[in-house]
Amino acid sequence: MLPSTTEWKAADVVAPPGTIALSGSEALALRMTSLLLRPHPTAAPTTVADVVEWFGAMQAQDLASGMWSLGVRLPGFTQAEVHAALERREALRTWPMRGTIHLVPARDARWQLELTGVRALAGAAKRREFLGLSEAEADRAADVLGETLAGGGRLTRAECVAALVAAGIDGAGQRGYHLLWHAAQRGVTCIAPNIGTEQTFALLDEWAPGQRQLDRDEALATLALRYFRGHGPTTRQDFAGWTGLTAADARRGIAAAGADLTTVLVDGVEAVLHTPLLDAPRTTVDDVLTLPGFDEYLLGYKDRALMLDPEHKQAIIPGGNGVFQATVVVGGRVVGTWKRSLAKTRVTLTVHPLVDLAPARREQVEQALHRYADFLALPPRVTWND
């Protein structure tokens, strides 16, 4: 069932006369195309760099989820190939907005931190007070990490904290994590690919030299274009929520993007999309997908009514604690969740349906999970938890 108009957040600007009107089902088809979960008329990504640049930023605080977010959009890729692409620095992870780790284009990390990360830095005083840290200590920790990693160094999280302790800085508990976040937020460090299961850090300017410099209007326009290109049609409020920008900056970014973005009406509510998307097919979405929990499919929006029935929200975000379950998606709508259990010789994949699924649909879900097993290069065992 598609959402009614009341489930959308109405924009506070009246759309110009003659604005294109879309039904909820048409908007859902176009949104799935924007998300690169259906064929796109102007995009055919073949590399990790292509996908990450398309979105501008992809939620990746959970590394396994971030890897599969790339894999599902790059059919035939394996997890090892995605890891190799990150080692080639086709993209990197850092905290560009909302205090959350994202994959970003390697050369765009600094301007994104400067545009959206500054608000997170400004709001960190209460967290430092809770941890017993001063801003001076946090800045000194960033300097210590800068000196320790200089010259191409790459250290695990534990080694970074040990370097801070050796310099007389208390890195116990959550203090160490906050100090690593602070250094990355300032643009000193970034998260390099894991070595085994260990998260690693490097200097941003050494890991990804030649950082692009954009003035504020160009940065806002680029961020707006990439967000709506990868998520639209959706609202300006969703854009502001995703970036952490103020409402004024969100409007400014959309205006600065100019003709690249178009205003439409979705069930009477104003939304924005990438202009070339108007040429994409609006046929009914019938795809069957098994997506990671932390995927732009749900994480890219504040209003998820097009994809998720309110009665299923608790199953996807148990307790509302921000931890999203991996989803089974049919026709653009969440119909179930799934979990993985890894062993050395096999991956067990357990499906929990939220609606009745016919045998043919269940077979399609299992085929989608087999593609995930291929990504891991492990044989699958699929079970159902009805």
Side-chain angles (χ1 to χ4, degrees):
M1 180 178 177
L2 289 166
S4 67
T5 301
T6 57
E7 289 174 299
W8 280 70
K9 294 179 178 135
D12 57 11
V13 178
V14 177
T19 300
I20 294 170
L22 302 172
S23 67
S25 59
E26 288 177 315
L28 181 58
L30 293 180
R31 184 178 284 185
M32 297 296 283
T33 303
S34 292
L35 287 162
L36 299 182
L37 296 172
R38 303 186 81 204
H40 195 285
T42 65
T46 59
T47 66
V48 166
D50 291 342
V51 174
V52 177
E53 184 168 349
W54 177 261
F55 285 96
M58 299 176 71
Q59 196 108 353
Q61 73 268 46
D62 179 80
L63 181 58
S65 288
M67 300 283 271
W68 180 228
S69 285
L70 292 168
V72 77
R73 293 168 173 87
L74 292 166
F77 268 57
T78 65
Q79 182 171 260
E81 289 169 332
V82 172
H83 180 84
L86 296 179
E87 284 285 359
R88 292 194 300 271
R89 309 176 194 196
E90 291 189 21
L92 60 80
R93 290 199 302 158
T94 190
W95 287 267
M97 53 201 178
R98 308 192 317 275
T100 302
I101 298 173
H102 288 71
L103 282 158
V104 299
R107 293 181 60 240
D108 291 336
R110 183 170 297 285
W111 69 258
Q112 288 192 235
L113 288 165
E114 291 172 352
L115 181 67
T116 60
V118 63
R119 296 189 74 197
L121 269 178
K126 287 186 178 179
R127 180 61 178 166
R128 284 197 301 271
E129 182 180 357
F130 174 79
L131 294 171
L133 287 167
S134 67
E135 185 174 5
E137 286 177 297
D139 287 339
R140 180 169 171 254
D143 292 340
V144 168
L145 290 171
E147 293 166 4
T148 303
L149 293 166
R154 181 173 172 185
L155 297 177
T156 66
R157 178 171 169 174
E159 289 169 337
C160 286
V161 172
L164 297 178
V165 172
I169 300 170
D170 183 0
Q174 287 298 305
R175 292 166 63 97
Y177 180 86
H178 183 84
L179 294 172
L180 289 170
W181 169 85
H182 182 85
Q185 200 74 73
R186 278 188 45 196
V188 176
T189 61
C190 66
I191 303 173
N194 279 21
I195 295 177
T197 60
E198 293 285 328
Q199 189 179 67
T200 69
F201 292 82
L203 291 187
L204 174 59
D205 287 337
E206 292 184 353
W207 185 261
Q211 289 289 305
R212 296 175 65 203
Q213 294 296 317
L214 306 182
D215 65 35
R216 185 169 179 79
D217 277 348
E218 187 180 4
L220 286 169
T222 300
L223 198 60
L225 171 60
R226 290 178 176 177
Y227 172 75
F228 288 105
R229 180 177 69 185
H231 298 82
T234 191
T235 64
R236 174 174 50 76
Q237 289 86 343
D238 274 341
F239 173 51
W242 184 77
T243 57
L245 291 171
T246 63
D249 273 344
R251 285 193 295 267
R252 184 174 169 184
I254 293 168
D260 286 335
L261 298 180
T262 295
T263 297
V264 297
L265 293 177
V266 176
D267 285 344
V269 176
E270 184 182 293
V272 178
L273 51 66
H274 187 212
T275 303
L277 191 66
L278 293 172
D279 295 327
R282 301 176 199 173
T283 53
T284 302
V285 181
D286 196 43
D287 315 61
V288 176
L289 303 163
T290 49
L291 301 178
F294 296 96
D295 188 84
E296 290 301 309
Y297 165 76
L298 286 180
L299 271 292
Y301 307 89
K302 289 172 71 75
D303 183 347
R304 303 179 177 105
L306 273 183
M307 300 93 78
L308 179 64
D309 284 332
E311 66 187 86
H312 296 151
K313 182 178 178 181
Q314 177 62 26
I316 305 305
I317 322 165
N321 60 5
V323 177
F324 284 66
Q325 302 300 304
T327 55
V328 177
V329 177
V330 175
R333 303 281 286 173
V334 174
V335 299
T337 63
W338 62 279
K339 294 181 181 293
R340 72 172 195 177
S341 177
L342 287 175
K344 288 184 178 180
T345 58
R346 183 174 67 184
V347 58
T348 299
L349 302 157
T350 303
V351 185
H352 177 68
L354 298 173
V355 301
D356 289 334
L357 295 174
R361 281 297 194 203
R362 289 189 174 224
E363 184 177 345
Q364 289 176 308
V365 171
E366 293 193 11
Q367 289 171 354
L369 288 171
H370 284 191
R371 288 194 288 275
Y372 177 65
D374 290 341
F375 178 72
L376 298 181
L378 287 172
R381 175 176 176 264
V382 179
T383 65
W384 290 79
N385 182 15
D386 291 283

